[in-house]
Amino acid sequence: MDIGPLRTSPGFRLLYLARTVALMVYGINAVAVAWQVYALTQSSLHVALVGFCLAGGQLAGLVFGGRLADRHDRRTLMVGSRIAYVGVVGLLLANTLLPQAQLGLIYLAALAGGLSSGIGAPALMAVLPSLVAREQLAAAGALSAIALQLAALVGPIVAGFLIAGAGLASCYAVVMAASAITPLLLARLPRLDAARAADEPPGKGQESGQKNGQGALAEWRDGLRFIRRSPVISGMLLLDLIASLLAMPFVLLPQIASETLGGDAALVGVLHAAPALGALVAALSSGWTRTLSRPGRVLAAMAVLWGLAVAAAGLTGSLWMMLACLALAGSADTVGDIVRGALLQQHTPDGLRGRVSAFWLLQSALGPALGGLQMGYVARRFAVSTALLAGGCACVVGSLAAWIAVRGRFWDEGAPGIDRR
């Protein structure tokens, strides 16, 4: 692992610590909400619908957050969104303390949580090139992947044992306390205004972006036009969307734990942690990504591997085999994330990063949400094993077809921090 960004950039160290805490909070909260919804409804479809509501809130937030990140202080946006999230967790805690928890309040909290995340996330993505050198972007992405997967590994296990032991209210209380730390850390960052895309030297596929006096719709059209004309970013979007729409197994984990494996909330936490363990191993050994000269092939291979792992999970009723399949899926997803993140930062000018990041995050939110809905519906209509097997196989076929359609876009492209040798 290259830890250069942590050594050389105080700003990145602050951002990294804040993001690690936030990701731990998300990991705990996601399991708590999924378990609570399943306990109230006995339906994976409702678990998926809550995720879809979260994505809807993110959509609304991204509409504002992407443009604001290209026009205002990005630090202020990040701090404000994290303060709002503390209130969201407070709503979940208050609902749990009611004599009978209300499903509608959980949907409301999901919507509000998505909204706060959507406003702050584009700024969070866009500030990275302002805090680390261009040649360190891939290393920073790998370090961020480690934080993500450590949080995803530890968070669900902590959530499972908190719920099974102290109870759901205690779990939300821990989340609320930890959430209050992140805005304090982010507030210590320097002011981070966006550079004007028009002031940057023109590059391959770049648009002038932000112009004096143009309206919001025109600015969003600039971002969309840039994505459409950037063969690398549009190709990555297509590959990622195929995998997330067709094979998104996480909404099924409470049902798998309960029906297939006969477990409780603690087992749900272990199942959520398995992809994170595989992803952590992949991130810790990601130094080889610096020597990629054909990153598009790696993205296609990882999408196919993800689909194969999900399909294999549908063929087993063994706990250890299920964990192995989920870990393999997690490792494939993380390698793809590292390469995608590096390419996105390299090929987007700073004055457009907020809007392009918003489009990227929109796809990352809606794709899994819609994929979770279809997996939840198939599991309810047929069986959870059918949903996993059919979704995984469809992902393999769809990813191969998408790669055939976009492969020419990647032949001459590399990623920042990747030695093209």
Side-chain angles (χ1 to χ4, degrees):
M1 283 301 306
D2 180 0
I3 61 172
L6 288 173
R7 288 200 310 264
T8 60
S9 173
F12 179 75
R13 286 197 296 271
L14 276 173
L15 184 70
Y16 189 73
L17 180 58
R19 188 165 187 263
T20 301
V21 174
L23 290 170
M24 186 71 70
V25 164
Y26 286 142
I28 297 173
N29 201 53
V31 174
V33 170
W35 179 256
Q36 186 176 25
V37 171
Y38 189 75
L40 289 171
T41 65
Q42 299 298 306
S43 170
S44 290
L45 184 59
H46 272 287
V47 178
L49 285 170
V50 170
F52 189 75
C53 194
L54 177 69
Q58 283 183 307
L59 169 60
L62 289 170
V63 169
F64 299 101
R67 183 169 180 255
L68 290 173
D70 287 338
R71 297 174 65 87
H72 300 286
D73 177 24
R74 290 165 175 170
R75 178 192 59 182
T76 301
L77 290 172
M78 292 187 292
V79 171
S81 69
R82 297 310 305 164
I83 291 174
Y85 188 76
V86 176
V88 170
V89 181
L91 176 60
L92 289 169
L93 176 58
N95 182 47
T96 304
L97 294 175
L98 293 175
Q100 176 63 44
Q102 300 299 309
L103 183 63
L105 289 179
I106 299 177
Y107 276 104
L108 177 62
L111 183 65
L115 182 65
S116 67
S117 173
I119 290 175
L124 181 66
M125 287 188 66
V127 298
L128 186 59
S130 301
L131 299 175
V132 300
R134 180 181 175 88
E135 62 271 13
Q136 292 181 323
L137 285 172
L143 288 168
S144 297
I146 291 175
L148 173 64
Q149 302 312 329
L150 274 174
L153 175 63
V154 176
I157 294 176
V158 171
F161 283 100
L162 278 174
I163 296 168
L168 193 61
S170 297
C171 185
Y172 284 134
V174 170
V175 170
M176 188 174 179
S179 298
I181 298 173
T182 54
L184 298 177
L185 292 170
L186 292 170
R188 298 179 59 190
L189 288 170
R191 185 177 177 89
L192 295 164
D193 289 311
R196 296 179 65 85
D199 296 334
E200 294 186 353
K204 182 179 179 181
Q206 294 181 358
E207 295 292 327
S208 62
Q210 190 174 314
K211 301 180 180 70
N212 288 331
Q214 69 177 9
L217 290 178
E219 291 184 13
W220 278 112
R221 282 197 298 269
D222 278 352
L224 187 59
R225 187 182 303 115
F226 168 77
I227 292 173
R228 189 173 63 249
R229 294 183 180 179
S230 173
V232 174
I233 295 178
S234 59
M236 289 192 301
L237 279 168
L238 178 60
L239 281 169
D240 196 40
L241 186 61
I242 290 290
S244 60
L245 281 175
L246 297 178
M248 190 50 56
F250 300 117
V251 300
L252 304 179
L253 295 186
Q255 186 175 354
I256 292 172
S258 178
E259 294 182 4
T260 305
L261 302 175
D264 57 8
L267 183 57
V268 177
V270 172
L271 291 176
H272 274 279
L277 179 60
L280 179 61
V281 172
L284 287 171
S285 58
S286 61
W288 60 272
T289 59
R290 291 194 301 269
T291 62
L292 290 178
S293 60
R294 298 293 184 266
R297 297 180 183 179
V298 175
L299 292 179
M302 293 304 104
V304 169
L305 185 58
W306 167 274
L308 290 173
V310 172
L315 295 174
T316 182
S318 162
L319 171 61
W320 293 109
M321 287 300 297
M322 182 69 70
L323 293 175
C325 291
L326 292 172
L328 181 61
S331 64
D333 187 46
T334 290
V335 171
D337 276 345
I338 292 172
V339 177
R340 283 190 295 267
L343 288 171
L344 183 71
Q345 298 289 358
Q346 181 190 24
H347 289 275
T348 308
D350 189 63
L352 284 168
R353 274 198 193 102
R355 282 161 287 171
V356 173
S357 296
F359 279 118
W360 182 268
L361 290 166
L362 175 60
Q363 179 270 149
S364 298
L366 285 181
L370 292 172
L373 278 177
Q374 69 87 11
M375 293 285 275
Y377 173 78
V378 175
R380 185 176 182 176
R381 180 69 176 80
F382 299 98
V384 67
S385 58
T386 303
L388 291 169
L389 181 59
C393 291
C395 176
V396 171
V397 174
S399 297
L400 289 174
W403 172 242
I404 292 173
V406 305
R407 59 184 175 179
R409 304 178 181 191
F410 290 93
W411 283 351
D412 299 319
E413 304 295 345
I418 295 176
D419 298 325
R420 298 181 63 192
R421 61 173 180 261

